[in-house]
């Protein structure tokens, strides 16, 4: 096997190469003055199984096109099998047509990756794993980042209580609670029918006195839901609140919003290149390595 | 037939709808806070032939993904045939592998468009029309923008002499010269083997005294070659120099560079959304309409 590292591999390519003791080829890449991407694989991969590492965080479309260019180049060089390792899979939240006439973005993105020549896809906790598995025509391996997140969370809390900010995140909270051997629960979100605004419902049944609450989600985007969940947790007696998520996008003023809401630590993973140095990053490379 | 106008249709969708007297559906689109694109076709196109208008100027990768999302949505709605009208086709200059291991970007882009469900492609003067025709698996129609450019050029010059900045642009100069009934020629470029810099060679055989020189190219990108060609034209006696190109990208300080080199007008077409208001824009919609 050979690892090919793309422009958005975020160091995971190097870690995989070391852990597995396999050759790493860094893709040559540049952006032309007009904005187009250029990709070249500078060494032979003929007859080899090649794992291309390229995440698709912002700018998603550029990183996606770069991935497709790498797959094409690797295929043309005669690789025997191509595995795309996409730690953060863009467009995973548009996993169905919520309204007639919508593009099913996840499906088309997965089709592009497959049709370009990728036989297998490895990705870390996509929004809906089942949707990824059903839309990608090749083999799919899903990486559960829970062990890596748990390692970092342990450093931050003493008496953890795992709280999912909505019912959909409950299964994720359960996985983390098992890893940390701690209690867990979830709260409820409701969407205002007129304004479209998301609100966290009261949860009078929950007693969080003396607890270090760990809010867990798959993605932190604008941070609105987690900020409300933090305030609610303090209202319910929490001693401290931290937030953990697989993919920390932190859009716009999300970091300030979370800090103002009393969140003391934010923990993410290296599926995303997080620019904010205050976010603690758990490395998921070892969890990818065991899938190869 | 129904026209579907994309976020980068640059008004050509509306012009085609008017000229052909066919229905226009504007694609709903937005960009989520994290940077992902959203596309929805808000009306039925079932059983219809659909022409999607989306150029792929900067940001090329975003506009390309939006196009693919539109094709997917239109196909899912049950269109009987999908025609992609891409006035400016991104990645057209990477039309072969100049070095081993390079991605053949044009080929993969055309594959993505075809595999997404586009049966036909209409594009305006790509860098190498033959390459586009050979790599796109469906039907290809190439639009020659010369008549539109000639209309604008006539307003700017009295005694035109059409000059191609390199031998590769000679055929294009010839087409324009025929349209304007004027003489034409070309100069030569050479690339410095060590620095990679492009230089225009001297052309002592050319007499441009009293001529309004029209430099013609397919793309104006950084403007370096055309600036040099302008200076040479004045050295050879030109009275005035203007520049015309199908796709006016004007990267970085290209406009200033061209102006400093004595170019009095820049003429482009609406294949690109040109932000600089001093560039004169020729409309190519009628030339596309006759292909539908």
């Amino acid at each position: 096997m050979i690892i090919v590292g793309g422009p958005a591999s975020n160091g995971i390519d190097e870690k995989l190469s070391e852990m597995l003791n396999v050759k790493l080829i860094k893709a040559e890449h540049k952006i032309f003055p007009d904005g187009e991407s250029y990709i070249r694989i500078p060494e032979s991969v003929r007859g080899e199984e090649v794992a291309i590492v390229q995440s698709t965080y912002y700018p998603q479309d550029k990183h996606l096109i770069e991935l497709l260019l790498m797959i094409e180049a690797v295929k043309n060089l005669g690789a025997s099998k191509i595995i795309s390792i996409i730690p953060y899979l863009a467009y995973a939240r548009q996993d169905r047509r919520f309204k007639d006439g919508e593009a099913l973005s996840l499906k088309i993105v997965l089709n592009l990756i497959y049709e370009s020549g990728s036989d297998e896809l490895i990705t870390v906790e996509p929004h809906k794993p089942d949707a990824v598995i059903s839309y990608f025509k090749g083999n799919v391996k899903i990486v559960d980042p829970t062990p890596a997140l748990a390692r970092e969370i342990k450093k931050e809390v003493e008496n953890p209580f795992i709280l999912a900010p909505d019912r959909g995140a409950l299964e994720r909270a359960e996985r983390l609670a098992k890893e940390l051997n701690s209690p867990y629960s979830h709260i409820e979100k409701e969407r205002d029918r007129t304004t479209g605004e998301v609100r966290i419902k009261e949860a009078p049944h929950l007693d969080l006195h003396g607890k270090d609450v760990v809010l867990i989600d798959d993605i932190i985007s604008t941070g609105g839901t987690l900020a409300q969940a933090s305030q609610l947790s303090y209202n319910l007696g929490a001693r401290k609140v931290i937030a953990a998520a697989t993919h920390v996008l932190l859009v716009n003023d999300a970091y300030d919003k979370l800090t103002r809401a009393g969140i003391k630590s934010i923990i993410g993973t290296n599926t995303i290149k997080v620019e904010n140095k205050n976010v603690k990053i758990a490395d998921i490379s070892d969890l990818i390595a065991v899938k190869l």
Side-chain angles (χ1 to χ4, degrees), chain A:
Chain A
M1 171 170 290
I2 290 177
I3 305 285
V4 165
S9 56
N10 200 24
I12 293 172
D13 53 344
E14 288 156 21
K15 293 196 178 82
L16 289 175
S17 164
E18 276 170 38
M19 284 171 183
L20 298 167
N21 194 25
V22 298
K23 182 173 178 177
L24 169 64
I25 300 175
K26 283 279 191 184
E28 269 183 43
H29 62 93
K30 62 181 174 185
I31 297 177
F32 288 111
D34 64 358
E36 290 183 2
S37 292
Y38 168 89
I39 288 286
R40 178 171 177 252
I41 311 302
E43 292 179 62
S44 172
V45 297
R46 180 156 305 280
E48 301 278 353
E49 213 171 283
V50 174
I52 300 172
V53 184
Q54 170 84 344
S55 201
T56 52
Y57 47 78
Y58 183 86
Q60 297 90 342
D61 302 309
K62 176 152 283 304
H63 289 152
L64 187 56
I65 295 291
E66 286 169 344
L67 170 64
L68 302 175
L69 295 177
M70 283 189 284
I71 295 171
E72 196 270 345
V74 164
K75 193 178 169 74
N76 180 259
L77 287 173
S80 65
K81 181 182 175 184
I82 301 176
I83 302 165
S84 292
I85 300 176
I86 311 174
Y88 173 66
L89 180 63
Y91 289 101
R93 282 176 288 181
Q94 184 73 17
D95 57 6
R96 57 191 180 93
R97 299 184 211 274
F98 300 89
K99 282 185 185 178
D100 274 358
E102 282 185 349
L104 213 175
S105 312
L106 175 60
K107 183 179 173 192
I108 187 113
V109 163
L110 292 174
N111 260 334
L112 300 177
I113 294 164
Y114 181 77
E115 296 293 347
S116 300
S118 186
D119 304 288
E120 185 170 310
L121 166 67
I122 300 180
T123 188
V124 182
E125 195 169 60
H127 192 59
K128 291 266 168 57
D130 289 350
V132 173
I133 290 164
S134 78
Y135 292 138
F136 189 71
K137 290 178 197 132
N139 193 30
V140 175
K141 292 177 181 167
I142 304 285
V143 174
D144 176 6
T146 306
L149 286 170
R151 287 195 292 261
E152 286 300 315
I153 290 168
K154 276 179 193 158
K155 301 177 191 167
E156 304 288 326
V157 293
E158 278 170 29
N159 189 18
F161 186 99
I162 314 303
L163 191 59
D166 55 41
R167 194 185 291 264
L170 185 61
E171 188 269 333
R172 187 177 298 115
E174 189 178 355
R175 268 187 272 137
L176 182 59
K178 270 191 190 152
E179 196 82 22
L180 293 170
N181 197 21
S182 59
Y184 69 98
S185 187
H186 73 96
I187 48 183
E188 304 262 4
K189 264 196 312 209
E190 59 184 355
R191 192 174 288 273
D192 187 300
R193 298 261 171 176
T194 49
T195 67
E197 216 175 296
V198 169
R199 257 200 311 257
I200 293 282
K201 282 193 199 171
E202 295 301 314
H205 58 287
L206 269 181
D207 179 6
L208 300 177
H209 279 92
K211 297 288 185 187
D212 292 347
V213 171
V214 181
L215 299 170
I216 179 78
D217 216 337
D218 60 338
I219 295 179
I220 302 180
S221 181
T222 58
T225 303
L226 288 184
Q228 288 184 51
S230 174
Q231 280 152 347
L232 179 66
S233 300
Y234 283 113
N235 293 345
L236 296 169
R239 190 177 71 160
K240 174 182 176 179
V241 181
I242 72 169
T246 313
H247 313 292
V248 176
L249 307 182
L250 283 181
V251 170
N252 301 332
D253 65 340
Y255 180 80
D256 292 341
K257 206 187 285 177
L258 295 174
T259 305
R260 278 199 306 272
I263 290 178
K264 304 300 182 197
S265 287
I266 300 172
I267 294 167
T269 77
N270 52 352
T271 61
I272 304 272
K273 188 168 183 171
V274 180
E275 303 293 346
N276 189 313
K277 297 297 171 212
N278 296 317
V279 177
K280 294 174 178 73
I281 300 298
D283 176 27
I284 42 73
S285 303
D286 58 325
L287 303 172
I288 293 175
V290 297
K291 303 281 187 186
L292 285 171

